[in-house]
Amino acid sequence: RKDMVEAHNRAVEETLNEIEKREIGARITKDGTTEHIKTGNMLCGKFNHYVSRNNDPQLHTHAVILNQTEYNNKLYAVDNGDLYKNKILYGQIYRNKLSAELMQRGYDVECTDKEKGFFELKDIKEEIRECFSTRRKEIVEAMKLYEKFSPEHAALAAIKTRAAKTHKDMNELTSSWKETVNEMGG
């Protein structure tokens, strides 16, 4: 478990470094002309979460980029128009970095979708993956109901089907997850 968290944190950090270098800038006006200047610096808060809304194991990080960057010792609002447009790219960069980190730690991974960069850990039974993917099942069922299948419709289905967050003791959840995996022979 420690390996997984460390690999995830490193992949998040490296992806955020790419975003900072490639995307973060400010609109600077000088002599009546405004231009976008890459500042290459950002303030970002990271918050690790370990469970889905359905209390399945789901390690993920919320990264909040503050609307402030520095250029020539002055603070400016962030101008990052391409960041949202490139969100799919940064998701792929994260997954590539994560799979590389996991392989360095001795885990076997197999690519499940080369185009999107999706992968899974080998030797984890499909029924165990499905058992702990209840949130994904809800989203897929909602998309089937509306007969709409695209990333945009998946995002809408996620919003429409999400339940309020509940907070449970992490030790109890971990114990429950281990018990479920043992029962499934994993």
Side-chain angles (χ1 to χ4, degrees):
R1 181 172 136 180
K2 184 180 174 190
D3 277 349
M4 299 282 178
V5 174
E6 287 175 358
H8 165 77
N9 287 340
R10 186 158 168 93
V12 167
E13 188 70 29
E14 289 179 10
T15 304
L16 288 171
N17 287 341
E18 291 293 323
I19 290 170
E20 181 176 45
K21 183 171 55 179
R22 295 178 182 191
E23 303 293 344
I24 303 301
R27 289 182 309 166
I28 309 293
T29 302
K30 186 175 180 181
D31 298 328
T33 303
T34 301
E35 64 179 307
H36 175 84
I37 303 289
K38 298 281 187 202
T39 60
N41 63 70
M42 71 179 179
L43 294 170
C44 182
K46 296 178 292 187
F47 307 91
N48 277 4
H49 291 185
Y50 300 91
V51 296
S52 72
R53 286 183 179 267
N54 291 8
N55 291 313
D56 291 333
Q58 183 195 45
L59 174 60
H60 61 284
T61 299
H62 296 269
V64 179
I65 298 171
L66 300 178
N67 188 20
Q68 188 172 338
T69 188
E70 183 180 3
Y71 179 72
N72 286 342
N73 296 317
K74 286 179 69 180
L75 296 177
Y76 294 90
V78 171
D79 179 33
N80 61 340
D82 289 337
L83 178 56
Y84 187 76
K85 287 192 288 190
N86 292 328
K87 68 181 181 177
I88 301 298
L89 169 67
Y90 289 113
Q92 288 178 327
I93 289 172
Y94 162 77
R95 288 187 296 277
N96 289 342
K97 291 181 180 299
L98 178 61
S99 66
E101 286 292 326
L102 290 170
M103 287 187 287
Q104 282 182 333
R105 288 167 168 75
Y107 293 92
D108 289 329
V109 300
E110 64 182 332
C111 182
T112 57
D113 186 329
K114 284 184 181 183
E115 186 177 306
K116 295 177 183 164
F118 292 154
F119 69 93
E120 293 176 353
L121 293 176
K122 285 185 180 178
D123 302 324
I124 294 181
K125 295 178 182 178
E126 184 63 29
E127 56 268 17
I128 291 175
R129 276 193 212 112
E130 287 181 20
C131 176
F132 291 115
S133 299
T134 59
R135 187 71 186 107
R136 178 71 184 148
K137 286 179 200 169
E138 290 174 354
I139 293 166
V140 169
E141 289 303 314
M143 289 175 20
K144 285 180 187 175
L145 182 67
Y146 297 110
E147 297 180 358
K148 306 275 184 177
F149 302 94
S150 71
E152 293 80 18
H153 288 102
L156 286 173
I159 291 169
K160 288 183 179 183
T161 61
R162 70 181 180 192
K165 290 182 180 180
T166 60
H167 299 283
K168 294 191 177 178
D169 181 76
M170 194 63 185
N171 291 327
E172 288 177 22
L173 284 171
T174 303
S175 178
S176 171
W177 297 334
K178 286 179 184 177
E179 189 176 310
T180 299
V181 169
N182 288 336
E183 288 172 2
M184 297 180 83

